Amino acid sequence: MTKPSSSSPSYRQSIAGCLSGAIGENGLSEAELGSWLEKLAPALHDLKADYASGRLPLLKISEETADLDAAEAALAKLSEGAETIVFFGTGGSGLGGQTLAQFGGWGLPGVSCCADGGKARPRTRFYDNLDPLTLSAGLARLELDKTRFVVTSKSGGTTETIAQLLATLSAVKAAGLESRIPQMFLGITEPDKPGKSNGLRALLGSLGIPMLEHHTGIGGRFSCLTNVGLLPALARGLDARKIRAGAQEVIDSLVSASFPAAFAPAIGAATAVGLSKERGIRTLVMMPYNDRLGRFSEWYVQLWAESLGKGGEGTSPIPALGPLDQHSQLQLFMDGPREIAVTVVRVASAGEGALLDAEMAKLAGQSFLGGKTIGDVVDAQSHAIAEALTQAGRPVRTFDMQKLDERAIGALLMHFMIETILAGRLLNLDPFDQPAVELAKTLTRERLAR
């Protein structure tokens, strides 16, 4: 008998809503889940060996501190006299940082510019998608002398990011600020490697622009806990060490787990793959009920899709946000094809926020709102959707966090990275490459060269 719930100190996962005991024939039986967990035993053993040997650097990153010292020093220097810090980086070089920055309040209407009690700090902006009008309009509106730029590309050859940098350097020169370029820019890219060119490093070096070293063993969608993701977190006033401490909680659980059913990411991986193979689930929805986790859904989509969509394998991830998407996508999740499983992420919110006036609620025809807080409403909705999906016989997994703080977001990120790795090993594929994406990059370069 396997347990439907598992946890780390920062969250509690329940897969009860994915089992046949809760949703009938559309769920996995205990025996089926147990079989997939048993198949994960060798992968869990290998993952623990990867940690012990250091063969998989992701599993050791939460123990490192030297790179944080360097990032904090570089950010402090870059921020001198700055009102805005712009981050250039696409895909994994952008979404991880955006996820942590949004947890720190970035991109939320009406939220203060900082996350640490009102201390003034530069605004943060992200340009991850390349669009000529957006970039031109953005550069035209920036007060360039008060703006700083962080440029991230692991390989140093990301076409979109290099294009953004070239356009920005030209704008800075046109504004008469060429002499200040070394103080206005910071790069994050791999160190020089024999026999391998790094265009970004060569360009930045020629201009005297300082650089932080991108971790050579952790790239793209898995880099959110390196300086790539943590520099934006620091820019928002977050404690990067606490973020890594939360990630370490999951690593500690990995080390202590003697079998897959005792490790939350393994339970998640076995459930996702089992539902796909046994019940034809083709779509996985990530639906947090918290504005600060909106970009987390987007990050998850890249992580799962790019890691597992290979050789005819994989399931399609969809980002959602509650309660907003109860008024759009929920109809499909509840009543569309029976190939959708939903993960609901809940942050305890009961009793939080504005108190709703009872008399006015009655006049509005919704007396049940009287005396409740906004947090009460969201709490009720986030639990009701899981119950509704269960009653409709739709697979639903829940994550519950008592508090959304740095430790919790770090644990959540590490959970899903390890869950994805284990799912890849269960499917006998490499979760770290992206061969199909490389073809599009090559064809883009060839077309531009012509």
Side-chain angles (χ1 to χ4, degrees):
M1 179 71 68
T2 54
K3 294 181 179 179
S5 299
S6 53
S7 64
S8 86
S10 292
Y11 66 85
R12 181 177 181 272
Q13 171 189 236
S14 175
I15 60 158
C18 297
L19 302 179
S20 58
I23 61 173
E25 63 182 10
N26 298 310
L28 292 173
S29 69
E30 288 281 356
E32 288 169 329
L33 177 61
S35 175
W36 285 102
L37 284 167
E38 186 177 342
K39 292 176 184 177
L40 261 181
L44 181 65
H45 176 271
D46 291 345
L47 201 64
K48 295 172 75 168
D50 288 340
Y51 169 76
S53 67
R55 198 163 49 235
L56 187 56
L58 173 65
L59 305 180
K60 290 285 190 179
I61 190 64
S62 52
E63 300 172 11
E64 297 183 14
T65 58
D67 60 329
L68 297 183
D69 295 336
E72 287 168 341
L75 180 64
K77 188 172 182 180
L78 184 71
S79 300
E80 292 175 2
E83 291 186 357
T84 304
I85 298 179
V86 173
F87 290 89
F88 289 137
T90 192
S93 293
L95 284 171
Q98 290 174 38
T99 295
L100 290 167
Q102 188 173 65
F103 163 65
W106 166 76
L108 302 180
V111 176
S112 173
C113 69
C114 46
D116 55 355
K119 180 181 177 182
R121 60 181 61 254
R123 296 183 296 271
T124 47
R125 290 191 184 181
F126 293 86
Y127 287 86
D128 54 355
N129 193 47
L130 187 63
D131 181 280
L133 297 180
T134 301
L135 183 60
S136 296
L139 291 174
R141 292 187 179 187
L142 288 170
E143 292 186 64
L144 291 176
D145 61 323
K146 298 177 182 178
T147 304
R148 307 292 181 263
F149 302 90
V150 179
V151 187
T152 302
S153 170
K154 182 177 186 288
S155 67
T158 307
T159 298
E160 298 92 335
T161 304
I162 296 295
Q164 290 170 329
L165 173 60
L166 295 175
T168 303
L169 287 169
S170 294
V172 168
K173 290 180 179 180
L177 299 170
E178 184 171 359
S179 64
R180 292 184 53 196
I181 284 177
Q183 290 78 49
M184 295 175 64
F185 289 82
L186 174 67
I188 304 178
T189 190
E190 283 187 323
D192 285 321
K193 292 182 178 180
K196 184 178 181 181
S197 63
N198 185 318
L200 178 60
R201 179 168 285 277
L203 176 58
L204 297 182
S206 72
L207 295 170
I209 294 172
M211 286 171 271
L212 294 172
E213 291 193 356
H214 194 300
H215 201 300
T216 57
I218 305 175
R221 55 198 178 271
F222 293 95
S223 67
C224 54
L225 297 175
T226 72
N227 53 17
V228 174
L230 293 179
L231 197 69
L234 291 168
R236 296 296 307 172
L238 300 174
D239 189 328
R241 286 165 178 78
K242 289 182 179 178
I243 293 172
R244 282 190 174 170
Q248 186 62 37
E249 293 177 2
V250 182
I251 300 300
D252 292 342
S253 296
L254 166 67
V255 173
S256 64
S258 55
F259 46 88
F263 186 45
I267 295 172
T271 302
V273 175
L275 283 170
S276 172
K277 297 299 184 181
E278 307 286 355
R279 295 295 181 271
I281 294 297
R282 296 289 177 264
T283 303
L284 301 181
V285 177
M286 178 58 67
M287 191 170 183
Y289 273 72
N290 190 292
D291 276 351
R292 284 170 172 76
L293 293 174
R295 273 298 195 277
F296 163 76
S297 289
E298 304 286 349
W299 168 83
Y300 166 79
V301 165
Q302 186 204 4
L303 175 71
W304 192 264
E306 199 168 55
S307 298
L308 304 180
K310 297 162 190 174
E313 292 287 2
T315 43
S316 299
I318 292 180
L321 183 65
L324 173 65
D325 278 308
Q326 289 188 194
H327 300 275
S328 55
Q329 299 191 78
L330 183 58
Q331 175 62 38
L332 174 67
F333 305 158
M334 291 283 296
D335 202 28
R338 287 192 175 276
E339 59 179 39
I340 300 172
V342 181
T343 293
V344 176
V345 181
R346 303 185 291 221
V347 180
S349 63
E352 294 184 357
L355 185 66
L356 306 178
D357 182 83
E359 189 60 33
M360 288 192 288
K362 183 177 180 181
L363 288 171
Q366 299 199 19
S367 298
F368 56 86
L369 290 177
K372 303 297 190 299
T373 67
I374 295 294
D376 293 333
V377 177
V378 176
D379 180 75
Q381 291 174 309
S382 65
H383 283 80
I385 188 177
E387 294 173 10
L389 286 163
T390 299
Q391 290 185 26
R394 305 295 174 123
V396 56
R397 167 174 62 162
T398 58
F399 277 77
D400 284 287
M401 292 180 286
Q402 283 301 116
K403 185 178 182 181
L404 185 59
D405 57 12
E406 283 102 327
R407 293 182 73 98
I409 193 71
L412 203 61
L413 292 170
M414 184 61 83
H415 171 104
F416 280 102
M417 286 190 285
I418 293 180
E419 179 177 304
T420 301
I421 293 167
L422 288 173
R425 294 182 177 181
L426 201 52
L427 294 167
N428 296 312
L429 52 81
D430 182 357
F432 298 107
D433 67 356
Q434 50 278 336
V437 175
E438 298 305 319
L439 175 60
K441 292 180 180 178
T442 299
L443 295 177
T444 297
R445 295 188 186 101
E446 292 176 355
R447 187 177 183 86
L448 287 170
R450 291 197 300 268

